[in-house]
Amino acid sequence: MLDYLDLEAELTDEERLIRDTAREFVDEQVRPDIGDHFENGTFPKELIPKMGEMGFYAPNLEGYGSPNVSETAYGLLMQELEACDSGLRSMASVQGALVMYPIHAYGSEEQKEEWLPKLGAGEAVGCFGLTEPEHGSNPTAMETYAERDADGYVLNGSKTWITNSPIADVAIVWARDRSSDDTPVRGFLVETDRDGVSTNKITEKLSLRASITGEIGLNDVHVPEENVLPGVSGMKGPLSCLTQARFGIAWGAVGAARNCFETARQYATDREQFGGPIGRFQLQQQKLAEMATQITLAQLLIHRLTELKERGELRPQHVSMAKRNNVRMARDQSRVAREMLGGNGITTDYSPMRHMANLETVYTYEGTHDIHTLILGEDLTGIAAYE
Ligand SMILES: Cc1cc2nc3c(=O)[nH]c(=O)nc-3n(C[C@H](O)[C@H](O)[C@H](O)COP(=O)(O)OP(=O)(O)OC[C@H]3O[C@@H](n4cnc5c(N)ncnc54)[C@H](O)[C@@H]3O)c2cc1C
């Protein structure tokens, strides 16, 4: 596997073990059928509890059954999952960073005890409802709202593009609390079997096909007071979760790119044209050299990002830079790998075109490439240019 600057040497034994275990799991249990899942638009649901057993959901959290592994170990895990498919990594990212993290950071003791062990074990599935049909890049303008009733809140609104909503047991729904004058955004734990909740599946996707995506409809949904996340109010709630998930994406995208590179390198060695392997042509070597260089630069970026996270010095803007760069890199390089595979490159027999299609989603979700550009632009100039 490509590790040109021997970053392996920096890893602890535990980090290596976690990475190797994830790699083996993916190779044995997911990779053989992932092309079929992509073609059929299905997610291998039977793996959800197995992934829980393996400790794939938020293992970097502390307590409530989470082993509190290092951020590097968590990143390596995301990398191995996405080296298989961005849909697989999305499952772990949503469950861990977007559902378990907010419960861990902002939940009551009862909410933590009720949900974290089940979600960590994959006995329950969670989803994160922020995006709405009319509000994607600007979630601050969300229209979903909560109004107080006798013993809790009534929620109304709709969310869309929600990973796992059709198979989720619980949704973290972000909504405006109309019972306060300044209508702050608050997080609500909404069990999907409550009256008035619908979770239609979105079926027409040409990207991230091995991942289940849907809507969340909320029609006079009553939730008790104890389902509100008590520890946060305002956009800090959802945005802090996105920082956690984007950190995993910055690692994961490198996995997808690495898998494209390895596939192309192998193909260049095996495939013969004009009397020998295509890897002897300078044109093909140039592509491999550039791919390896770009992947290595992205690896350096995430390793540094992780050091900052471990030291508590990571800023959301750092994560924006890494998500923006590494996903663009993976998106570009998956296309080069696809090209090197000729006609075979457009099939599901090989991974690059599947990764390439998936990366269109990864480029768009968790803040589009454009939005991360604006976040960096604001950080660099002090001038916000969103509106
Ligand atoms: C498969 C999939 C899974 C997803 N999973 C989830 C999930 O689990 N939970 C969730 O809440 N959301 C999820 N999303 C939603 C995702 O986060 C949004 O699609 C994303 O934030 C972009 O919003 P939008 O699609 O409404 O695009 P828009 O915001 O309408 O943007 C359209 C285009 O305009 C550009 N643009 C917007 N504003 C500006 C600006 N100020 N300056 C310049 N350009 C701008 C954008 O970059 C983009 O190119 C998912 C999306 C997909 C595709």
Side-chain angles (χ1 to χ4, degrees):
M1 293 289 165
L2 184 71
D3 178 17
Y4 208 69
L5 297 183
D6 195 20
L7 289 162
E8 167 100 19
E10 311 295 320
L11 304 181
T12 64
D13 288 346
E14 187 188 56
E15 288 162 354
R16 280 197 197 120
L17 181 69
I18 289 171
R19 180 203 55 196
D20 294 346
T21 310
R23 193 175 284 176
E24 199 179 297
F25 171 85
V26 160
D27 284 345
E28 284 175 8
Q29 309 223 24
V30 200
R31 208 180 290 288
D33 299 323
I34 195 66
D36 290 342
H37 281 292
F38 184 88
E39 269 189 80
N40 299 332
T42 51
F43 181 81
K45 278 186 272 186
E46 67 285 359
L47 295 181
I48 293 173
K50 283 192 193 170
M51 288 169 71
E53 258 172 59
M54 304 288 294
F56 288 176
Y57 306 128
N60 51 341
L61 295 181
E62 195 175 352
Y64 308 93
S66 284
N68 191 20
V69 302
S70 71
E71 297 295 345
T72 302
Y74 174 73
L76 289 164
L77 171 63
M78 295 299 119
Q79 189 168 275
E80 293 309 316
L81 297 179
E82 195 147 0
C84 179
D85 194 270
S86 301
L88 192 67
R89 198 267 310 136
S90 295
M91 169 72 211
S93 280
V94 169
Q95 183 92 343
L98 296 181
V99 180
M100 293 172 66
Y101 171 80
I103 297 173
H104 192 270
Y106 309 123
S108 65
E109 201 47 44
E110 294 73 34
Q111 289 168 349
K112 292 180 199 184
E113 272 163 24
E114 180 182 357
W115 287 108
L116 291 178
K118 278 197 275 198
L119 290 162
E123 286 160 14
V125 174
C127 67
F128 177 88
L130 180 64
T131 305
E132 298 184 354
E134 303 303 328
H135 308 284
S137 295
N138 182 18
T140 308
M142 71 175 67
E143 292 172 62
T144 300
Y145 66 92
E147 226 144 5
R148 268 200 181 279
D149 70 356
D151 63 338
Y153 286 89
V154 176
L155 290 161
N156 276 288
S158 60
K159 300 286 178 182
T160 193
W161 291 118
I162 307 305
T163 301
N164 284 344
S165 78
I167 57 163
D169 301 287
V170 66
I172 307 262
V173 170
W174 300 96
R176 292 236 168 242
D177 178 358
R178 282 198 185 162
S179 55
S180 291
D181 287 345
D182 54 347
T183 61
V185 169
R186 306 205 61 188
F188 297 84
L189 283 164
V190 181
E191 296 89 346
T192 52
D193 58 2
R194 284 190 177 271
D195 286 347
V197 178
S198 58
T199 55
N200 297 331
K201 187 173 171 182
I202 298 173
T203 51
E204 303 85 2
K205 289 184 301 169
L206 296 174
S207 170
L208 214 72
R209 288 185 55 75
S211 169
I212 300 168
T213 317
E215 303 165 338
I216 306 175
L218 300 155
N219 188 6
D220 283 336
V221 178
H222 170 81
V223 291
E225 177 80 41
E226 57 264 26
N227 280 30
V228 183
L229 292 177
V232 76
S233 169
M235 284 303 289
K236 174 177 181 267
L239 294 182
S240 61
C241 302
L242 293 175
T243 299
Q244 300 300 317
R246 289 165 181 168
F247 172 78
I249 293 172
W251 272 91
V254 178
R258 191 194 70 199
N259 183 254
C260 289
F261 169 82
E262 294 299 351
T263 306
R265 172 158 70 172
Q266 188 63 50
Y267 198 83
T269 315
D270 296 343
R271 175 71 175 169
E272 298 199 351
Q273 287 295 292
F274 297 95
I278 60 168
R280 79 189 191 287
F281 298 128
Q282 289 181 357
L283 281 176
Q284 304 308 320
Q285 291 192 2
Q286 187 273 340
K287 289 172 190 170
L288 290 172
E290 186 60 24
M291 236 188 268
T293 307
Q294 293 303 327
I295 293 169
T296 302
L297 290 171
Q299 286 171 336
L300 290 171
L301 183 53
I302 44 177
H303 276 268
R304 174 65 181 161
L305 195 75
T306 307
E307 273 174 29
L308 291 174
K309 192 167 198 281
E310 288 284 7
R311 297 213 303 245
E313 291 171 15
L314 187 69
R315 294 193 296 127
Q317 292 85 346
H318 295 145
V319 182
S320 283
M321 182 180 275
K323 192 269 184 186
R324 179 180 181 277
N325 181 74
N326 290 8
V327 176
R328 176 184 55 189
M329 179 284 294
R331 185 190 191 227
D332 292 348
Q333 300 311 326
S334 64
R335 193 163 181 213
V336 176
R338 202 299 303 150
E339 179 184 314
M340 287 182 66
L341 267 65
N344 284 327
I346 72 152
T347 66
T348 50
D349 294 340
Y350 294 88
S351 65
M353 186 138 176
R354 177 168 49 78
H355 283 304
M356 184 175 136
N358 285 340
L359 287 160
E360 291 302 314
T361 288
V362 184
Y363 192 79
T364 295
Y365 72 14
E366 304 265 353
T368 67
H369 187 80
D370 295 333
I371 292 299
H372 289 295
T373 308
L374 298 179
I375 292 171
L376 292 176
E378 182 182 5
D379 198 41
L380 295 168
T381 64
I383 306 168
Y386 304 93
E387 288 168 11

